[in-house]
């Protein structure tokens, strides 16, 4: 049986649950999140997305011909997303030229390390990273203002279709690799789950007190 994205979710429900459900997200939904905590996430996620964009560029470089189109569309969306982050930060008077927190730094180093992995492993990581946000922002239910557009960004139907495409591409790549590479893809999936859980938690650990 080849490894698939669905089989990874089936095999590891607990780490995936921790990656996609967190008091940060329920706090957005209930209106109880402290704005300083949200702002910490916003700035750190901008830094994350910059490095994530570089990672997607490297995945594209390793991709087979029939995956180029979907990955290019993803990169086009990331161009918009980076501009959107800049606009959201400006609305909140946040400075984006700041250092990554250790948790963000670790995630960025992990993404850089994927370049040495076979394409099937990179494609699995890319799917897991995008699916974590696609699920995480939707699971709490409709988000009130000012968080509605954040939930929509990763929960909208077009993004959900993109995540399905990434799963299909990862599955296609995983179908042809050795058991050793499949095991590496599984390890990378679990690493993404851990890093996602830590990233939500960072907003609580690192938030500045309110002025
Ligand atoms: C931490 N994971 C994190 N940030 C994001 N923006 C995404 C995933 C989705 O792109």
């Amino acid at each position: 049986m080849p490894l698939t994205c669905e089989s990874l979710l089936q095999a590891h429900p607990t780490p995936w649950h921790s990656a996609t459900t967190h008091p940060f997200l329920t706090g957005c939904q209930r209106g109880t999140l402290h704005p300083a905590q949200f702002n910490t996430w916003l700035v750190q996620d901008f830094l994350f997305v910059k490095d994530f964009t570089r990672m997607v560029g490297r995945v594209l470089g390793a991709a087979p011909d029939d995956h180029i189109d979907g990955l290019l569309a993803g990169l086009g969306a990331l161009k918009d997303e980076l501009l959107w982050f800049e606009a959201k930060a400006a609305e909140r008077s946040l400075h984006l030229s700041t250092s990554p927190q250790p948790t963000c730094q670790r995630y960025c180093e992990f993404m850089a390390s994927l370049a040495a992995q076979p394409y099937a492993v990179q494609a699995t990581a890319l799917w897991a990273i995008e699916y974590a946000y696609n699920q995480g922002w939707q699971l709490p239910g409709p988000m009130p203002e000012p968080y509605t557009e954040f939930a929509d960004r990763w929960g909208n139907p077009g993004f959900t279709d993109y995540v399905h495409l990434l799963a299909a591409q990862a599955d296609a790549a995983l179908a042809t690799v050795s058991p050793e590479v499949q095991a590496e893809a599984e390890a990378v999936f679990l690493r993404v789950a851990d890093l996602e859980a830590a990233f939500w938690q960072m907003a609580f650990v690192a938030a500045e007190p309110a002025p």
Side-chain angles (χ1 to χ4, degrees):
M1 270 286 283
L3 191 74
T4 63
C5 294
E6 189 53 41
S7 71
L8 286 169
L9 296 168
Q10 296 282 334
H12 304 291
T14 305
W16 194 250
H17 185 264
S18 304
T20 53
T21 56
H22 192 274
F24 180 94
L25 291 162
T26 45
C28 288
Q29 210 264 333
R30 292 178 188 153
T32 55
L33 192 75
H34 199 291
Q37 296 170 331
F38 189 79
N39 291 345
T40 294
W41 168 81
L42 183 60
V43 171
Q44 293 297 314
D45 212 48
F46 170 75
L47 300 177
F48 169 89
V49 172
K50 261 200 302 185
D51 261 30
F52 176 64
T53 302
R54 295 187 170 100
M55 175 196 139
V56 180
R58 290 188 295 267
V59 178
L60 176 68
D65 287 358
D66 60 338
H67 294 187
I68 289 177
D69 196 54
L71 294 171
L72 270 179
L75 280 167
L78 284 166
K79 175 184 159 77
D80 287 346
E81 187 162 309
L82 287 167
L83 294 170
W84 175 80
F85 267 105
E86 286 172 358
K88 295 303 111 189
E91 282 172 14
R92 292 166 176 264
S93 308
L94 301 173
H95 295 290
L96 289 174
S97 51
T98 178
S99 306
Q101 297 282 345
T103 298
C104 182
Q105 179 75 33
R106 265 196 297 137
Y107 209 153
C108 292
E109 283 166 9
F110 163 73
M111 291 193 288
S113 77
L114 289 170
Q117 294 280 2
Y119 173 70
V121 176
Q122 295 188 41
T124 303
L126 173 57
W127 159 75
I129 292 170
E130 294 290 41
Y131 189 47
Y133 262 39
N134 179 238
Q135 272 209 316
W137 281 102
Q138 287 189 84
L139 285 174
M143 283 287 180
E145 295 296 346
Y147 304 121
T148 317
E149 66 179 303
F150 291 86
D152 283 352
R153 171 151 293 272
W154 292 285
N156 75 73
F159 190 76
T160 302
D161 286 348
Y162 173 61
V163 174
H164 287 145
L165 175 71
L166 293 179
Q169 293 187 167
D171 286 353
L174 287 167
T176 65
V177 298
S178 66
E180 289 74 22
V181 174
Q182 290 191 23
E184 196 55 54
E186 185 162 20
V188 155
F189 170 79
L190 289 170
R191 191 79 205 288
V192 168
D194 264 10
L195 288 163
E196 286 291 330
F199 206 92
W200 295 125
Q201 189 60 28
M202 174 180 57
F204 290 88
V205 176
E208 299 287 332

